[in-house]
Amino acid sequence: MKSIKRGERLTILLIILFLVGMVVLVAKIVTEATFYMSHSNNVNIGCVYDRNGEILFDPNATAEEYGADYFLDIGNVIGDDSGQMTNTLVSENIDDLQNYHLLFGAVENGKSAIYTTLDHNANRAVYDAFGSKNGTAIAYNYKTGEILVCVSKPSVNILDYQNVETLETGSLLCKAFYETAPGSTQKVSTLVAAIETIGYDAVSQKSYNCEGTYYNNYNNKIMCHKLSGHGWQSVSQAFQNSCNPWFAQLVQDLSLDGIERVFQKMGYQINGEGNATMDIDGITCFTASTELTDVNDFDTQWGCMGQSKTVISPCQLMMWESAIANGTGEVTQPYFISYKQNLFGTITDKAKTEYSEPIFSADTAQKVREIMRENGDAKYSSINYPVGVKSGTAQVKDGKEENSLLVGFCDDNSLSIAFCVVIENYQESDGISTNQIVRTMLNALSS
């Protein structure tokens, strides 16, 4: 009798294990079939389009059909289906491009596609504007969140590469989403932190002297780019002059807890704590990080001016500009994909505009907006558009090279664009400036 009961229990256990195994098998078939199909040599993959219907990815593309370098400007952000590229729009959304259905199998005339927000013509104009220089540029509509331009040089020509090892370093990465030293563009965040912690009236009453060299409370030397100094300055003057001694003295007058609190709300990792990445339609974007220990310390002050341990992605620098340009303190969330189309032609996943929780107050946003607009009017008329901007020069590669940055927004209701441009290893003799690239960008987007 006992042996019969043991046999019944064993039979029931085997049946349960069989059923569990079947459930796992079916789940794997349902969830992973598209993956294996999309990585098959026989799969029929759909195309990716820009906002105007131009092709950005075609699995059957040839140089004869499109031109040898047609895809060069978007090579490392759109990518391809070769499996050699990751963190691109195609690689991270490949399942949505395959024309395969679990019940119907491979669909020969499937209509799978992704329609993006990118403007290919504007993207190419910006890419060409870099000339012989490397760097990155990203721009979006700060009212809607649509990413319109995303360029990273060097890039990869997806029609003409076999071995990734032969490519120039950085070709496979869209640098708009990776950390870089922000230089003095960081002073936008530091100004935000000051206004948030002690109020605009207190900040506007600050007047510090710059003699070219400043020794802080720990007798550390802070150098100004103008060796003869700027003299006594207000906040607007110091912002326009990008004066390091002025901002070092401002940081000393703030509380460490106050700066940390504001930076954390803006999305910085502080001393290793916080989110390291964020997701934009499957693409991983690295978030800002810095180390803050003592407002009187050189590294903390230097970090608040965009050097030391401070790194930020150009994409996030651009995103913060939306919170300022809109005057709300809320970030307009960026997106690449307007909508997807499945293999039957049905539109799915249609994007909508979304905003973050306030990362700083609307009053702070409006005050910083005024200061940035003053800077744009005073020093950036060559852009030929009403802009609010902050430039930066960032020392990289242990000080052996300098990058030139420009972040800001166009203050035009018909051209509501926030942007970040980085020129690597910048030298004035190159004859290329961030101002020129931004002007080219806005011209292309306004046409």
mmCIF file of all heavy atoms in Angstrom, residues 90-130:
data_model
loop_
_atom_site.group_PDB
_atom_site.id
_atom_site.type_symbol
_atom_site.label_atom_id
_atom_site.label_comp_id
_atom_site.label_asym_id
_atom_site.label_seq_id
_atom_site.Cartn_x
_atom_site.Cartn_y
_atom_site.Cartn_z
ATOM 1 N N VAL A 90 18.828 50.375 -34.255
ATOM 2 C CA VAL A 90 18.497 49.091 -34.878
ATOM 3 C C VAL A 90 18.799 47.938 -33.928
ATOM 4 O O VAL A 90 17.950 47.066 -33.712
ATOM 5 C CB VAL A 90 19.256 48.907 -36.210
ATOM 6 C CG1 VAL A 90 19.124 47.471 -36.708
ATOM 7 C CG2 VAL A 90 18.707 49.869 -37.259
ATOM 8 N N SER A 91 19.985 47.927 -33.341
ATOM 9 C CA SER A 91 20.363 46.794 -32.488
ATOM 10 C C SER A 91 19.447 46.655 -31.280
ATOM 11 O O SER A 91 19.144 45.541 -30.851
ATOM 12 C CB SER A 91 21.819 46.934 -32.026
ATOM 13 O OG SER A 91 21.967 47.994 -31.096
ATOM 14 N N GLU A 92 18.980 47.774 -30.744
ATOM 15 C CA GLU A 92 18.161 47.720 -29.530
ATOM 16 C C GLU A 92 16.668 47.597 -29.829
ATOM 17 O O GLU A 92 15.871 47.465 -28.902
ATOM 18 C CB GLU A 92 18.425 48.959 -28.668
ATOM 19 C CG GLU A 92 19.878 49.171 -28.291
ATOM 20 C CD GLU A 92 20.532 47.930 -27.702
ATOM 21 O OE1 GLU A 92 19.905 47.261 -26.858
ATOM 22 O OE2 GLU A 92 21.667 47.621 -28.111
ATOM 23 N N ASN A 93 16.292 47.650 -31.104
ATOM 24 C CA ASN A 93 14.878 47.506 -31.480
ATOM 25 C C ASN A 93 14.718 46.505 -32.623
ATOM 26 O O ASN A 93 13.732 46.553 -33.360
ATOM 27 C CB ASN A 93 14.296 48.860 -31.897
ATOM 28 C CG ASN A 93 14.254 49.864 -30.768
ATOM 29 O OD1 ASN A 93 13.308 49.899 -29.984
ATOM 30 N ND2 ASN A 93 15.292 50.694 -30.664
ATOM 31 N N ILE A 94 15.672 45.583 -32.733
ATOM 32 C CA ILE A 94 15.706 44.661 -33.859
ATOM 33 C C ILE A 94 14.461 43.779 -33.918
ATOM 34 O O ILE A 94 13.976 43.435 -35.006
ATOM 35 C CB ILE A 94 16.994 43.796 -33.817
ATOM 36 C CG1 ILE A 94 17.166 43.010 -35.121
ATOM 37 C CG2 ILE A 94 17.002 42.886 -32.606
ATOM 38 C CD1 ILE A 94 17.511 43.854 -36.305
ATOM 39 N N ASP A 95 13.907 43.394 -32.763
ATOM 40 C CA ASP A 95 12.724 42.533 -32.752
ATOM 41 C C ASP A 95 11.527 43.201 -33.418
ATOM 42 O O ASP A 95 10.662 42.532 -33.982
ATOM 43 C CB ASP A 95 12.357 42.141 -31.318
ATOM 44 C CG ASP A 95 13.341 41.153 -30.716
ATOM 45 O OD1 ASP A 95 14.213 40.670 -31.467
ATOM 46 O OD2 ASP A 95 13.248 40.879 -29.511
ATOM 47 N N ASP A 96 11.482 44.531 -33.355
ATOM 48 C CA ASP A 96 10.358 45.252 -33.940
ATOM 49 C C ASP A 96 10.505 45.432 -35.438
ATOM 50 O O ASP A 96 9.578 45.928 -36.096
ATOM 51 C CB ASP A 96 10.206 46.622 -33.273
ATOM 52 C CG ASP A 96 9.835 46.509 -31.812
ATOM 53 O OD1 ASP A 96 8.837 45.834 -31.508
ATOM 54 O OD2 ASP A 96 10.556 47.074 -30.970
ATOM 55 N N LEU A 97 11.653 45.069 -35.976
ATOM 56 C CA LEU A 97 11.890 45.216 -37.414
ATOM 57 C C LEU A 97 11.751 43.905 -38.174
ATOM 58 O O LEU A 97 11.682 43.905 -39.401
ATOM 59 C CB LEU A 97 13.296 45.794 -37.661
ATOM 60 C CG LEU A 97 13.484 47.266 -37.351
ATOM 61 C CD1 LEU A 97 14.950 47.641 -37.478
ATOM 62 C CD2 LEU A 97 12.625 48.129 -38.270
ATOM 63 N N GLN A 98 11.735 42.773 -37.469
ATOM 64 C CA GLN A 98 11.674 41.501 -38.169
ATOM 65 C C GLN A 98 10.240 41.210 -38.629
ATOM 66 O O GLN A 98 9.278 41.500 -37.945
ATOM 67 C CB GLN A 98 12.223 40.382 -37.283
ATOM 68 C CG GLN A 98 11.632 40.294 -35.885
ATOM 69 C CD GLN A 98 10.270 39.675 -35.849
ATOM 70 O OE1 GLN A 98 9.984 38.756 -36.617
ATOM 71 N NE2 GLN A 98 9.412 40.161 -34.989
ATOM 72 N N ASN A 99 10.149 40.666 -39.821
ATOM 73 C CA ASN A 99 8.853 40.317 -40.401
ATOM 74 C C ASN A 99 8.562 38.835 -40.168
ATOM 75 O O ASN A 99 8.528 38.025 -41.098
ATOM 76 C CB ASN A 99 8.845 40.638 -41.898
ATOM 77 C CG ASN A 99 8.777 42.126 -42.148
ATOM 78 O OD1 ASN A 99 7.848 42.804 -41.724
ATOM 79 N ND2 ASN A 99 9.786 42.659 -42.833
ATOM 80 N N TYR A 100 8.386 38.520 -38.906
ATOM 81 C CA TYR A 100 8.129 37.140 -38.503
ATOM 82 C C TYR A 100 7.020 37.130 -37.469
ATOM 83 O O TYR A 100 6.983 37.965 -36.565
ATOM 84 C CB TYR A 100 9.389 36.502 -37.919
ATOM 85 C CG TYR A 100 9.155 35.124 -37.340
ATOM 86 C CD1 TYR A 100 9.132 34.000 -38.165
ATOM 87 C CD2 TYR A 100 8.943 34.958 -35.980
ATOM 88 C CE1 TYR A 100 8.900 32.739 -37.633
ATOM 89 C CE2 TYR A 100 8.715 33.707 -35.443
ATOM 90 C CZ TYR A 100 8.684 32.594 -36.265
ATOM 91 O OH TYR A 100 8.453 31.363 -35.747
ATOM 92 N N HIS A 101 6.116 36.176 -37.620
ATOM 93 C CA HIS A 101 5.012 36.028 -36.677
ATOM 94 C C HIS A 101 5.015 34.601 -36.158
ATOM 95 O O HIS A 101 5.255 33.643 -36.907
ATOM 96 C CB HIS A 101 3.681 36.347 -37.360
ATOM 97 C CG HIS A 101 2.531 36.469 -36.413
ATOM 98 N ND1 HIS A 101 1.789 35.394 -35.987
ATOM 99 C CD2 HIS A 101 2.002 37.565 -35.797
ATOM 100 C CE1 HIS A 101 0.847 35.805 -35.150
ATOM 101 N NE2 HIS A 101 0.954 37.125 -35.022
ATOM 102 N N LEU A 102 4.754 34.455 -34.877
ATOM 103 C CA LEU A 102 4.812 33.148 -34.238
ATOM 104 C C LEU A 102 3.876 32.152 -34.910
ATOM 105 O O LEU A 102 4.211 30.975 -35.071
ATOM 106 C CB LEU A 102 4.460 33.276 -32.750
ATOM 107 C CG LEU A 102 4.519 31.981 -31.926
ATOM 108 C CD1 LEU A 102 5.938 31.427 -31.933
ATOM 109 C CD2 LEU A 102 4.053 32.242 -30.499
ATOM 110 N N LEU A 103 2.695 32.600 -35.346
ATOM 111 C CA LEU A 103 1.728 31.703 -35.965
ATOM 112 C C LEU A 103 1.913 31.566 -37.465
ATOM 113 O O LEU A 103 1.721 30.493 -38.029
ATOM 114 C CB LEU A 103 0.298 32.199 -35.669
ATOM 115 C CG LEU A 103 -0.120 32.225 -34.200
ATOM 116 C CD1 LEU A 103 -1.534 32.754 -34.073
ATOM 117 C CD2 LEU A 103 -0.021 30.824 -33.587
ATOM 118 N N PHE A 104 2.280 32.673 -38.126
ATOM 119 C CA PHE A 104 2.349 32.677 -39.584
ATOM 120 C C PHE A 104 3.772 32.487 -40.127
ATOM 121 O O PHE A 104 3.960 32.373 -41.340
ATOM 122 C CB PHE A 104 1.769 33.986 -40.136
ATOM 123 C CG PHE A 104 0.356 34.234 -39.698
ATOM 124 C CD1 PHE A 104 0.081 35.206 -38.740
ATOM 125 C CD2 PHE A 104 -0.690 33.493 -40.216
ATOM 126 C CE1 PHE A 104 -1.224 35.433 -38.326
ATOM 127 C CE2 PHE A 104 -1.994 33.716 -39.803
ATOM 128 C CZ PHE A 104 -2.268 34.680 -38.854
ATOM 129 N N GLY A 105 4.765 32.504 -39.232
ATOM 130 C CA GLY A 105 6.140 32.345 -39.665
ATOM 131 C C GLY A 105 6.673 33.590 -40.339
ATOM 132 O O GLY A 105 6.186 34.702 -40.107
ATOM 133 N N ALA A 106 7.670 33.403 -41.208
ATOM 134 C CA ALA A 106 8.268 34.535 -41.909
ATOM 135 C C ALA A 106 7.282 35.072 -42.952
ATOM 136 O O ALA A 106 6.728 34.312 -43.741
ATOM 137 C CB ALA A 106 9.565 34.109 -42.585
ATOM 138 N N VAL A 107 7.072 36.382 -42.928
ATOM 139 C CA VAL A 107 6.140 37.028 -43.851
ATOM 140 C C VAL A 107 6.956 37.733 -44.924
ATOM 141 O O VAL A 107 7.663 38.704 -44.648
ATOM 142 C CB VAL A 107 5.232 38.034 -43.108
ATOM 143 C CG1 VAL A 107 4.287 38.716 -44.091
ATOM 144 C CG2 VAL A 107 4.439 37.319 -42.017
ATOM 145 N N GLU A 108 6.872 37.246 -46.140
ATOM 146 C CA GLU A 108 7.733 37.720 -47.210
ATOM 147 C C GLU A 108 7.555 39.204 -47.493
ATOM 148 O O GLU A 108 8.519 39.932 -47.729
ATOM 149 C CB GLU A 108 7.471 36.918 -48.483
ATOM 150 C CG GLU A 108 8.396 37.282 -49.627
ATOM 151 C CD GLU A 108 8.182 36.408 -50.847
ATOM 152 O OE1 GLU A 108 7.429 35.404 -50.736
ATOM 153 O OE2 GLU A 108 8.766 36.704 -51.901
ATOM 154 N N ASN A 109 6.331 39.662 -47.509
ATOM 155 C CA ASN A 109 6.045 41.068 -47.802
ATOM 156 C C ASN A 109 5.634 41.830 -46.541
ATOM 157 O O ASN A 109 4.753 42.687 -46.592
ATOM 158 C CB ASN A 109 4.957 41.178 -48.873
ATOM 159 C CG ASN A 109 5.394 40.586 -50.192
ATOM 160 O OD1 ASN A 109 6.491 40.869 -50.660
ATOM 161 N ND2 ASN A 109 4.546 39.747 -50.787
ATOM 162 N N GLY A 110 6.278 41.493 -45.427
ATOM 163 C CA GLY A 110 5.949 42.157 -44.170
ATOM 164 C C GLY A 110 6.242 43.643 -44.205
ATOM 165 O O GLY A 110 7.098 44.110 -44.961
ATOM 166 N N LYS A 111 5.534 44.393 -43.383
ATOM 167 C CA LYS A 111 5.621 45.850 -43.406
ATOM 168 C C LYS A 111 6.251 46.426 -42.131
ATOM 169 O O LYS A 111 6.050 47.600 -41.817
ATOM 170 C CB LYS A 111 4.228 46.444 -43.612
ATOM 171 C CG LYS A 111 3.574 46.010 -44.917
ATOM 172 C CD LYS A 111 2.176 46.584 -45.064
ATOM 173 C CE LYS A 111 1.527 46.126 -46.365
ATOM 174 N NZ LYS A 111 0.145 46.647 -46.505
ATOM 175 N N SER A 112 7.001 45.618 -41.405
ATOM 176 C CA SER A 112 7.634 46.106 -40.182
ATOM 177 C C SER A 112 8.541 47.296 -40.483
ATOM 178 O O SER A 112 9.310 47.274 -41.448
ATOM 179 C CB SER A 112 8.449 45.000 -39.520
ATOM 180 O OG SER A 112 7.611 43.972 -39.050
ATOM 181 N N ALA A 113 8.444 48.330 -39.656
ATOM 182 C CA ALA A 113 9.253 49.536 -39.872
ATOM 183 C C ALA A 113 9.273 50.359 -38.598
ATOM 184 O O ALA A 113 8.416 50.205 -37.722
ATOM 185 C CB ALA A 113 8.689 50.362 -41.024
ATOM 186 N N ILE A 114 10.275 51.216 -38.518
ATOM 187 C CA ILE A 114 10.362 52.198 -37.430
ATOM 188 C C ILE A 114 10.482 53.572 -38.058
ATOM 189 O O ILE A 114 11.305 53.794 -38.947
ATOM 190 C CB ILE A 114 11.574 51.910 -36.521
ATOM 191 C CG1 ILE A 114 11.359 50.620 -35.721
ATOM 192 C CG2 ILE A 114 11.817 53.086 -35.567
ATOM 193 C CD1 ILE A 114 12.542 50.210 -34.870
ATOM 194 N N TYR A 115 9.646 54.485 -37.602
ATOM 195 C CA TYR A 115 9.663 55.864 -38.079
ATOM 196 C C TYR A 115 10.206 56.754 -36.965
ATOM 197 O O TYR A 115 9.658 56.794 -35.867
ATOM 198 C CB TYR A 115 8.257 56.306 -38.495
ATOM 199 C CG TYR A 115 7.784 55.615 -39.760
ATOM 200 C CD1 TYR A 115 7.246 54.329 -39.705
ATOM 201 C CD2 TYR A 115 7.906 56.231 -40.997
ATOM 202 C CE1 TYR A 115 6.828 53.677 -40.862
ATOM 203 C CE2 TYR A 115 7.492 55.585 -42.162
ATOM 204 C CZ TYR A 115 6.955 54.311 -42.088
ATOM 205 O OH TYR A 115 6.557 53.683 -43.233
ATOM 206 N N THR A 116 11.309 57.432 -37.254
ATOM 207 C CA THR A 116 12.008 58.201 -36.227
ATOM 208 C C THR A 116 11.701 59.694 -36.323
ATOM 209 O O THR A 116 11.079 60.163 -37.272
ATOM 210 C CB THR A 116 13.531 58.012 -36.334
ATOM 211 O OG1 THR A 116 14.019 58.746 -37.470
ATOM 212 C CG2 THR A 116 13.903 56.546 -36.465
ATOM 213 N N THR A 117 12.210 60.411 -35.344
ATOM 214 C CA THR A 117 12.070 61.869 -35.282
ATOM 215 C C THR A 117 13.219 62.586 -35.976
ATOM 216 O O THR A 117 13.190 63.813 -36.136
ATOM 217 C CB THR A 117 12.041 62.320 -33.815
ATOM 218 O OG1 THR A 117 13.264 61.903 -33.187
ATOM 219 C CG2 THR A 117 10.865 61.705 -33.064
ATOM 220 N N LEU A 118 14.251 61.857 -36.362
ATOM 221 C CA LEU A 118 15.455 62.472 -36.927
ATOM 222 C C LEU A 118 15.183 63.147 -38.266
ATOM 223 O O LEU A 118 14.343 62.695 -39.045
ATOM 224 C CB LEU A 118 16.548 61.421 -37.112
ATOM 225 C CG LEU A 118 17.234 60.918 -35.841
ATOM 226 C CD1 LEU A 118 18.086 59.704 -36.143
ATOM 227 C CD2 LEU A 118 18.074 62.017 -35.211
ATOM 228 N N ASP A 119 15.908 64.226 -38.510
ATOM 229 C CA ASP A 119 15.884 64.912 -39.790
ATOM 230 C C ASP A 119 17.207 64.599 -40.481
ATOM 231 O O ASP A 119 18.257 65.137 -40.119
ATOM 232 C CB ASP A 119 15.725 66.424 -39.580
ATOM 233 C CG ASP A 119 15.555 67.193 -40.872
ATOM 234 O OD1 ASP A 119 16.289 66.900 -41.835
ATOM 235 O OD2 ASP A 119 14.702 68.096 -40.915
ATOM 236 N N HIS A 120 17.153 63.711 -41.487
ATOM 237 C CA HIS A 120 18.387 63.240 -42.116
ATOM 238 C C HIS A 120 19.159 64.377 -42.791
ATOM 239 O O HIS A 120 20.392 64.449 -42.696
ATOM 240 C CB HIS A 120 18.073 62.147 -43.129
ATOM 241 C CG HIS A 120 19.275 61.390 -43.580
ATOM 242 N ND1 HIS A 120 19.290 60.607 -44.706
ATOM 243 C CD2 HIS A 120 20.540 61.295 -43.068
ATOM 244 C CE1 HIS A 120 20.485 60.061 -44.860
ATOM 245 N NE2 HIS A 120 21.261 60.467 -43.878
ATOM 246 N N ASN A 121 18.450 65.278 -43.454
ATOM 247 C CA ASN A 121 19.126 66.379 -44.143
ATOM 248 C C ASN A 121 19.850 67.287 -43.151
ATOM 249 O O ASN A 121 20.990 67.705 -43.381
ATOM 250 C CB ASN A 121 18.126 67.184 -44.972
ATOM 251 C CG ASN A 121 17.630 66.416 -46.178
ATOM 252 O OD1 ASN A 121 18.311 65.540 -46.707
ATOM 253 N ND2 ASN A 121 16.423 66.716 -46.624
ATOM 254 N N ALA A 122 19.180 67.596 -42.032
ATOM 255 C CA ALA A 122 19.806 68.435 -41.003
ATOM 256 C C ALA A 122 20.974 67.701 -40.367
ATOM 257 O O ALA A 122 22.030 68.284 -40.087
ATOM 258 C CB ALA A 122 18.782 68.833 -39.948
ATOM 259 N N ASN A 123 20.799 66.407 -40.146
ATOM 260 C CA ASN A 123 21.862 65.606 -39.557
ATOM 261 C C ASN A 123 23.109 65.638 -40.440
ATOM 262 O O ASN A 123 24.235 65.800 -39.957
ATOM 263 C CB ASN A 123 21.386 64.164 -39.388
ATOM 264 C CG ASN A 123 21.873 63.521 -38.107
ATOM 265 O OD1 ASN A 123 21.480 63.937 -37.025
ATOM 266 N ND2 ASN A 123 22.711 62.524 -38.219
ATOM 267 N N ARG A 124 22.899 65.504 -41.752
ATOM 268 C CA ARG A 124 24.032 65.497 -42.669
ATOM 269 C C ARG A 124 24.707 66.866 -42.732
ATOM 270 O O ARG A 124 25.938 66.975 -42.816
ATOM 271 C CB ARG A 124 23.585 65.073 -44.071
ATOM 272 C CG ARG A 124 24.757 64.818 -45.030
ATOM 273 C CD ARG A 124 25.743 63.867 -44.350
ATOM 274 N NE ARG A 124 26.976 63.717 -45.081
ATOM 275 C CZ ARG A 124 27.304 62.622 -45.757
ATOM 276 N NH1 ARG A 124 26.462 61.602 -45.817
ATOM 277 N NH2 ARG A 124 28.459 62.536 -46.366
ATOM 278 N N ALA A 125 23.897 67.935 -42.688
ATOM 279 C CA ALA A 125 24.467 69.285 -42.710
ATOM 280 C C ALA A 125 25.365 69.509 -41.494
ATOM 281 O O ALA A 125 26.449 70.098 -41.604
ATOM 282 C CB ALA A 125 23.358 70.320 -42.761
ATOM 283 N N VAL A 126 24.918 69.039 -40.337
ATOM 284 C CA VAL A 126 25.706 69.187 -39.109
ATOM 285 C C VAL A 126 26.962 68.328 -39.175
ATOM 286 O O VAL A 126 28.058 68.765 -38.793
ATOM 287 C CB VAL A 126 24.854 68.829 -37.876
ATOM 288 C CG1 VAL A 126 25.714 68.797 -36.619
ATOM 289 C CG2 VAL A 126 23.713 69.824 -37.712
ATOM 290 N N TYR A 127 26.816 67.110 -39.660
ATOM 291 C CA TYR A 127 27.976 66.221 -39.811
ATOM 292 C C TYR A 127 29.037 66.886 -40.684
ATOM 293 O O TYR A 127 30.226 66.921 -40.330
ATOM 294 C CB TYR A 127 27.534 64.893 -40.416
ATOM 295 C CG TYR A 127 28.634 63.868 -40.555
ATOM 296 C CD1 TYR A 127 28.896 62.961 -39.541
ATOM 297 C CD2 TYR A 127 29.403 63.804 -41.715
ATOM 298 C CE1 TYR A 127 29.901 62.014 -39.662
ATOM 299 C CE2 TYR A 127 30.412 62.864 -41.840
ATOM 300 C CZ TYR A 127 30.658 61.973 -40.817
ATOM 301 O OH TYR A 127 31.668 61.050 -40.941
ATOM 302 N N ASP A 128 28.621 67.428 -41.811
ATOM 303 C CA ASP A 128 29.565 68.075 -42.723
ATOM 304 C C ASP A 128 30.184 69.327 -42.104
ATOM 305 O O ASP A 128 31.333 69.673 -42.408
ATOM 306 C CB ASP A 128 28.856 68.447 -44.030
ATOM 307 C CG ASP A 128 28.479 67.227 -44.859
ATOM 308 O OD1 ASP A 128 29.033 66.140 -44.607
ATOM 309 O OD2 ASP A 128 27.607 67.361 -45.745
ATOM 310 N N ALA A 129 29.423 70.005 -41.220
ATOM 311 C CA ALA A 129 29.911 71.245 -40.608
ATOM 312 C C ALA A 129 31.108 70.997 -39.693
ATOM 313 O O ALA A 129 31.891 71.917 -39.426
ATOM 314 C CB ALA A 129 28.795 71.932 -39.824
ATOM 315 N N PHE A 130 31.293 69.754 -39.212
ATOM 316 C CA PHE A 130 32.455 69.437 -38.377
ATOM 317 C C PHE A 130 33.748 69.426 -39.184
ATOM 318 O O PHE A 130 34.835 69.495 -38.599
ATOM 319 C CB PHE A 130 32.263 68.078 -37.698
ATOM 320 C CG PHE A 130 31.511 68.132 -36.401
ATOM 321 C CD1 PHE A 130 30.125 68.042 -36.378
ATOM 322 C CD2 PHE A 130 32.178 68.275 -35.198
ATOM 323 C CE1 PHE A 130 29.423 68.081 -35.186
ATOM 324 C CE2 PHE A 130 31.498 68.321 -33.996
ATOM 325 C CZ PHE A 130 30.105 68.225 -33.985
#
